[in-house]
Amino acid sequence: MMAPGRAAAAIERLILAAILLCPVFLVHGRGIAEALIDVAATGLLARGLLGNGWEWARQPWVRVSLLWWNWLVLCSLPVLGLGAGGWPAFGQAVLTVRFLLFAAAMGTVLPRAPRVRRAVCWLVVAACGYIVAQMAIQAVFGVNLFGMHRFGDGTLTGPYDKPRAAAPLSRLLMPVMLAAGSMLATRGRPGGSAAAAWWGASPAAPEGHPSGVAQAPALPRARRGGRNALPDGSLGGIAPTPGLGAPTPGEPLLAEGGIAPGEAGPVAHPRGFAGRAGRTLLPLLPLLGGLAVMVLAGQRMPLLLTLLGLVVAALMLPRLRLPVLLAAIAAPVLVALSAVLTPRSFGHLVLLFSRQMHHFGNSPYGHLFERALNMGLANPLTGLGFDGFRHRCADPRYFGRHLFGLGGDGGGAAICAQHPHNHYLQALTDSGLIGLVLFCLMVLFWLRTLARGLGGAGPAFSGLRAWRVGLFAAVLMQEWPIASTSAFTNMPLGGWCFLLLGLGMAFVPPTPGRKEASMGQGGPSGASFPRGPGLRSLPRTGTSARGKPEIVPTDDRP
């Protein structure tokens, strides 16, 4: 019989393998991706049952998420007039927890396996590039690599036969565009142009850092302007502070003197107007490229959400504000050019959107909005249970036209769909006003956790900071309340959302004031973590247990 420690290590490796494969099958093979999500979620629970810790469940964002899920399950129970979908819908409500556990699993195991975390980041970049390439080929040649033409309304389908590529692409573009802009903006800094500046390899974090950031790697002393190899073979060029000496392997960078990736060394940009223009125009290139692809895609909501994400990035990355402003000025120009280059995309992007907004009350989206509102307000306490909108949309009791002051039956049963095309309306119809409030709290706790360490002092535009801001913006875009969306857990978009959420949690620094585990505890493989000279365990009180200053991790460390 396998010992509990070895079994827990095997399960953790299984979780890592499922996480690593998930981005691949979210692009093609969403059924397999859903099975991988199940494997990671089940593995996280098994890991805890084997005594490997339930620290992940004590995080506030996990607690609020589980509270919302419990209320959804209760409202879906087909007894006492609850649960319009019966036992099948109740089973789906119970299984919804797997997406939450998948994100928690990523936030728990990836900080302890930095190489896998870095590989997942690169897979996200590859998935984004693959969808962009398929769209570009389809825009130029009329068909994608599989011989599929544009959709009937002129929108690009990317690698698919239907226009469902633009929505996930808009989310994937945010961290990729911002990280690429960061790499271009930091050209000339030691290590600034290396890919390792985004999410360099680092030793595993100890147990007790379920959502924390792994300790930064020990970096060799670099000559001015030179590049040295990191321990994993990638390029760097970050020198320790003179007088401190080179840190030993496993020793985190010190708060006083240590330099985070992408922030080391003096700025080597050309001075004067040419240098300032380069620092502004170079980061603008990936922003304009991303906007151009979204305009060519011809889908309204993904383009608008991409613009929203760029605004969020400008607020959180001050040095990106001028490039974002220039990109915002260029966006109408790109849309106008689409009227000449791709008239059908322009018609779907501008003309159809204008008509729908002008007559929103009589549009299909207006009908769905009013129907969902009628259903939610008629069942304010518990809603109709999981998938309640689909099961009761055709009920004549909810056909009224009250919101827009229009007569008729609001389209009757002909306008019914599987979901109300808005996550907040879905929460209202599924679990009533209480469920809607819990859903809003859950999203706010997600964003609050993802934003930890991004608002304080520190590097203004390092690669990792830009990557984290991109993940924050992607989740915000997914849960923006004024948007037309697919169902909350609908694959593959729901899978991408929770993958980006979990990846963002894997980069979040630990919460100040929470008790830390000792660095001598075992990692995923059961081995002890090395302790370099001067390395202490990390209580979050500002001083060590012996009264000596503690080592404080920076917020930009991978």
Side-chain angles (χ1 to χ4, degrees), residues 44 86 125 133 186 266 275 311 337 341 448 471 558:
L44 182 66
V125 175
T186 54
V311 171
L337 286 175
L341 300 176
R448 176 191 175 192
L471 294 173

Side-chain angles (χ1 to χ4, degrees), residues 15-17 19-20 109-110 113-123 503:
I15 295 174
L16 290 171
I19 292 172
L20 189 60
V109 302
L110 286 184
R115 293 182 184 273
V116 177
R117 180 178 63 183
R118 184 174 56 178
V120 173
C121 292
W122 279 114
L123 286 172
L503 188 57

Side-chain angles (χ1 to χ4, degrees), residues 33-43 95 98 102:
E34 195 164 358
L36 293 170
I37 290 174
D38 296 343
V39 169
T42 306
L95 292 176
R98 58 191 168 154
F102 175 67

Side-chain angles (χ1 to χ4, degrees), residues 4-319:
R6 295 182 61 185
I11 289 175
E12 191 153 318
R13 287 192 292 270
L14 182 63
I15 295 174
L16 290 171
I19 292 172
L20 189 60
L21 292 173
C22 197
V24 177
F25 290 102
L26 281 173
V27 176
H28 289 296
R30 53 183 174 177
I32 299 176
E34 195 164 358
L36 293 170
I37 290 174
D38 296 343
V39 169
T42 306
L44 182 66
L45 297 177
R47 177 181 176 273
L49 292 174
L50 289 172
N52 219 26
W54 296 92
E55 181 70 19
W56 58 270
R58 301 187 183 97
Q59 300 173 83
W61 76 267
V62 175
R63 291 183 173 183
V64 175
S65 299
L66 293 178
L67 182 61
W68 165 79
W69 170 71
N70 275 279
W71 180 255
L72 175 65
V73 170
L74 178 64
C75 295
S76 304
L77 193 64
V79 296
L80 302 177
L82 302 176
W87 289 108
F90 173 77
Q92 289 295 318
V94 173
L95 292 176
T96 300
V97 73
R98 58 191 168 154
F99 292 94
L100 304 173
L101 294 177
F102 175 67
M106 292 187 68
T108 300
V109 302
L110 286 184
R112 296 156 49 86
R115 293 182 184 273
V116 177
R117 180 178 63 183
R118 184 174 56 178
V120 173
C121 292
W122 279 114
L123 286 172
V124 168
V125 175
C128 180
Y130 170 72
I131 297 175
V132 168
Q134 286 272 37
M135 283 190 167
I137 292 171
Q138 194 175 51
V140 174
F141 300 103
V143 294
N144 61 17
L145 292 177
F146 305 127
M148 300 172 183
H149 294 267
R150 287 173 177 261
F151 201 61
D153 57 7
T155 56
L156 296 177
T157 64
Y160 309 114
D161 59 347
K162 296 180 181 178
R164 56 184 179 90
L169 178 61
S170 64
R171 280 64 160 175
L172 296 174
L173 272 175
M174 291 315 300
V176 175
M177 283 193 305
L178 297 183
S182 168
M183 187 171 63
L184 293 173
T186 54
R187 288 185 65 192
R189 297 172 184 259
S193 61
W198 295 10
W199 45 73
S202 54
E207 180 70 19
H209 288 265
S211 64
V213 178
Q215 305 301 321
L219 300 174
R221 185 178 299 276
R223 296 179 181 178
R224 185 182 180 93
R227 292 182 177 179
N228 290 335
L230 293 176
D232 68 338
S234 59
L235 293 179
I238 305 172
T241 300
L244 290 180
T248 58
E251 183 177 0
L253 298 179
L254 301 181
E256 297 182 3
I259 304 174
E263 289 301 310
V267 178
H269 285 298
R271 296 184 179 181
F273 175 78
R276 289 193 298 271
R279 290 191 295 272
T280 300
L281 296 179
L282 287 177
L284 180 62
L285 296 179
L287 305 183
L288 287 179
L291 283 176
V293 171
M294 296 311 300
V295 170
L296 286 174
Q299 292 189 260
R300 308 171 299 274
M301 193 53 61
L303 175 60
L304 292 174
L305 290 176
T306 301
L307 292 172
L308 170 67
L310 290 178
V311 171
V312 172
L315 293 175
M316 302 181 74
L317 298 169
R319 289 182 61 182

